[in-house]
Amino acid sequence: MRKIIFLAVAVLTLGLYSCAQQTKTKDQKTADGIIRVETPERPAGQKDVIALRCAPLDTVRVGFIGLGMRGPGAVERFTYIPGTSIKALCDLLPERVAESQKILEKRNLPKAAEYSGEEGWKQLCEREDIDLVYIVTPWQLHVEMAVYAMEHGKHVAVEVPAAMNLEECWKLVNTAEKTRLHCMMLENCVYDFFELTTLNMAQQGLFGDILHVEGAYIHNLEEFWPYYQGNWRLDFNEKHKGDVYATHGMGPACQLLNIHRGNRMTYLVAMESKALTGPKEVKKISNRESTDFQNGDHTMTMIQTATGQTMHIQHDVMNPRPYSRMYQLTGTEGFANKYPVEGYTFRSAEKIEGVPDHENLSMHSFVPEDVKNALMEQYKHPIHKELEEMAKKVGGHGGMDFIMDYRLVYCLRNGLPLDQDVYDAAEWSCLGELTRISIENNSMPVEVPDFTRGSWQKLKSYHHYMAGE
């Protein structure tokens, strides 16, 4: 298995606590009509962590922080991953820790150390027998916990979004560079089957030059709000403007465009609808009036890249629409679309030989279902070929969560660069504050900081990045 997964590396692009207020950025409008944001100089003695390799770990010893909605599922998945040892479990509430211990007991695994309360997570990070801290808490505590864990010598895996504002994004970047440790945001959507297959097809040139990509998080959360302890997620939307949950759409889109592996986002423009459903949800759940609900029901963002592509990202968690991450690719030779219908379109049949009836395809419609299925089988990513059966058995959003965790452990055990690094965490998370700035300034263009501080030009693409070139 290791040999197969190692080969796949060459083509892969790759519990609860209180809220904190959003940090305002000092904006400066410049003559070229773009709002510039500060890019701090790299601290003395630091260097980038592009393609960072750390010493291989024979066994990845992990501690979990946050055992509410998502944490127990992560604990369960790790019990199926070879070369792991679950050393510690932590949540604000001790009863949640006890429930997760049952997962280990059911799998005939040793009992983990238990931590709870306001400071329990710090004690977990301070343990000497942990290599990886896996953070599954509310968004507002991600950076504090991730930074503390890295400062205590631990690699970090942190749920999405990794950071809430630019200051926090830079804290993650600077700490990872200073400590030379991995900090991966747990963006599972890049491992979904259609996305990873399409990425492989794109890397093989089936779509020609990619011109435009789209992504989104469109998911009505009405029935889910009460499950967020203390109503923290709806509360965050009430207090913060902008695309506060962009990473599910951003991740696959950025991988297609080789962001910080030969390309970068340069500036964005955002706008929003008025907030109508949000205040109604506050009234229904909290029985109070929300007179200044900040986040519009629907947010749209357009992004320009350094090498001339465009991105379109949307966010709507309020209204009755079918679930969609939009995922779309437009290239000079082909087109891919996932929602609401999965399909491919090609200019010419020459690039897709080896599938049934490919000579009769039209560039004005999706290829027939049998052609699509044959293409997806032909270009199935090597990681899916190896892990698909186990992933679907273990589960986690259809299996993509298991593949994400397996890949994280595999790379740590083999001393390889991670599929997602700290720059991905910062770049995919920064839309929260940048879109707010644009919206509050009548949709003016806003600069996207270069979190690599120029190092994005060192690599040619995700293909070369993961090949270690």
Side-chain angles (χ1 to χ4, degrees):
M1 178 181 288
R2 289 192 177 187
K3 182 177 181 181
I4 295 175
I5 298 297
F6 180 78
L7 292 174
V9 173
V11 292
L12 178 64
T13 330
L14 301 177
L16 302 172
Y17 301 85
S18 61
C19 296
Q21 292 296 317
Q22 180 174 349
T23 301
K24 298 287 185 179
T25 299
K26 294 180 180 179
D27 309 334
Q28 183 178 2
K29 299 177 184 178
T30 59
D32 60 2
I34 298 177
I35 299 176
R36 304 291 181 183
V37 295
E38 181 182 5
T39 298
E41 292 187 8
R42 178 172 281 126
Q46 287 185 195
K47 60 180 181 179
D48 69 67
V49 287
I50 294 285
L52 177 67
R53 293 173 180 263
C54 296
L57 301 170
D58 182 61
T59 299
V60 178
R61 302 168 299 176
V62 60
F64 291 90
I65 303 175
L67 300 168
M69 293 181 67
R70 298 290 301 276
V75 174
E76 174 81 21
R77 295 191 301 274
F78 265 71
T79 66
Y80 289 91
I81 300 175
T84 62
S85 177
I86 299 174
K87 291 293 185 179
L89 301 171
C90 176
D91 192 271
L92 179 65
L93 305 177
E95 56 267 30
R96 288 180 174 169
V97 179
E99 283 299 309
S100 288
Q101 288 281 19
K102 295 178 182 179
I103 297 173
L104 305 184
E105 180 181 357
K106 182 180 178 180
R107 296 281 294 157
N108 296 315
L109 294 173
K111 185 176 181 179
E114 298 184 0
Y115 297 93
S116 59
E118 295 288 349
E119 299 292 314
W121 63 272
K122 290 185 177 180
Q123 298 169 24
L124 182 149
C125 292
E126 293 163 2
R127 289 179 65 100
E128 295 295 328
D129 61 347
I130 288 178
D131 305 300
L132 171 68
V133 173
Y134 198 105
I135 300 169
V136 200
T137 64
W139 308 337
Q140 299 90 338
L141 290 183
H142 287 176
V143 170
E144 180 184 9
M145 292 177 173
V147 167
Y148 194 84
M150 285 187 280
E151 288 177 340
H152 286 79
K154 311 300 189 292
H155 299 299
V156 168
V158 58
E159 260 294 355
V160 298
M164 297 291 98
N165 52 58
L166 294 177
E167 180 182 359
E168 290 191 345
C169 288
W170 285 114
K171 282 183 180 179
L172 289 181
V173 168
N174 284 334
T175 305
E177 290 183 350
K178 178 180 68 175
T179 61
R180 314 302 295 171
L181 291 166
H182 291 298
C183 179
M184 171 180 163
M185 184 170 66
L186 294 163
E187 182 42 71
N188 55 357
C189 294
V190 302
Y191 297 98
D192 210 351
F193 297 97
F194 188 87
E195 283 88 333
L196 202 51
T197 298
T198 303
L199 175 63
N200 193 25
M201 293 168 65
Q203 291 174 336
Q204 303 305 316
L206 267 70
F207 304 109
D209 292 321
I210 299 176
L211 302 170
H212 177 74
V213 294
E214 299 190 4
Y217 187 68
I218 296 172
H219 184 193
N220 181 270
L221 294 179
E222 182 176 355
E223 62 183 286
F224 298 103
W225 298 125
Y227 293 98
Y228 296 97
Q229 183 175 322
N231 198 35
W232 67 263
R233 186 160 180 177
L234 181 59
D235 181 69
F236 193 91
N237 278 269
E238 183 180 15
K239 295 177 180 177
H240 298 82
K241 185 180 294 295
D243 190 336
V244 299
Y245 198 70
T247 72
H248 287 333
M250 288 290 290
C254 286
Q255 288 187 333
L256 287 167
L257 298 184
N258 299 311
I259 297 302
H260 84 256
R261 286 90 166 176
N263 195 8
R264 64 176 292 259
M265 297 181 286
T266 55
Y267 67 91
L268 62 77
V269 172
M271 63 181 64
E272 66 176 1
S273 74
K274 56 187 176 181
L276 292 181
T277 302
K280 294 177 183 177
E281 293 297 294
V282 172
K283 177 66 173 179
K284 181 172 64 176
I285 294 173
S286 302
N287 195 29
R288 63 176 175 82
E289 300 295 332
S290 178
T291 58
D292 189 29
F293 197 99
Q294 286 294 299
N295 212 6
D297 280 8
H298 194 94
T299 303
M300 298 182 293
T301 306
M302 298 297 297
I303 307 170
Q304 181 76 55
T305 73
T307 56
Q309 298 87 9
T310 55
M311 304 170 65
H312 179 198
I313 307 295
Q314 294 191 24
H315 176 265
D316 187 338
V317 295
M318 297 294 175
N319 299 299
R321 289 182 59 179
Y323 178 92
S324 174
R325 298 197 301 273
M326 282 173 46
Y327 189 77
Q328 189 177 103
L329 175 163
T330 299
T332 57
E333 299 298 325
F335 173 84
N337 187 83
K338 182 171 182 178
Y339 299 93
V341 178
E342 290 187 3
Y344 298 110
T345 300
F346 299 96
R347 180 186 298 276
S348 169
E350 294 178 2
K351 290 181 177 291
I352 57 171
E353 293 182 358
V355 299
D357 300 325
H358 66 275
E359 298 90 349
N360 299 318
L361 302 183
S362 167
M363 73 176 74
H364 302 289
S365 59
F366 287 132
V367 300
E369 190 70 11
D370 60 340
V371 175
K372 186 200 80 170
N373 293 337
L375 277 169
M376 293 192 69
E377 184 62 33
Q378 179 179 342
Y379 288 94
K380 182 181 291 187
H381 199 281
I383 287 177
H384 282 167
K385 290 180 180 178
E386 185 65 32
L387 296 176
E388 182 175 9
E389 182 177 351
M390 176 62 77
K392 290 182 176 180
K393 174 184 176 182
V394 176
H397 292 93
M400 60 186 180
D401 292 358
F402 175 78
I403 295 174
M404 172 184 69
D405 292 337
Y406 188 101
R407 283 290 305 166
L408 168 60
V409 170
Y410 177 83
C411 291
L412 291 175
R413 294 187 70 197
N414 289 276
L416 299 171
L418 302 189
D419 301 337
Q420 303 172 51
D421 63 18
V422 70
Y423 304 117
D424 293 312
E427 289 156 356
W428 304 352
S429 299
C430 74
L431 257 68
E433 182 162 11
L434 297 182
T435 54
R436 172 190 64 78
I437 295 171
S438 180
I439 291 168
E440 290 181 345
N441 287 275
N442 295 318
S443 299
M444 281 190 65
V446 178
E447 177 185 39
V448 179
D450 174 12
F451 291 101
T452 73
R453 298 178 174 105
S455 297
W456 63 275
Q457 300 176 83
K458 292 170 61 174
L459 300 171
K460 299 177 182 178
S461 68
Y462 265 96
H463 175 95
H464 293 87
Y465 164 68
M466 297 311 299
E469 299 176 10

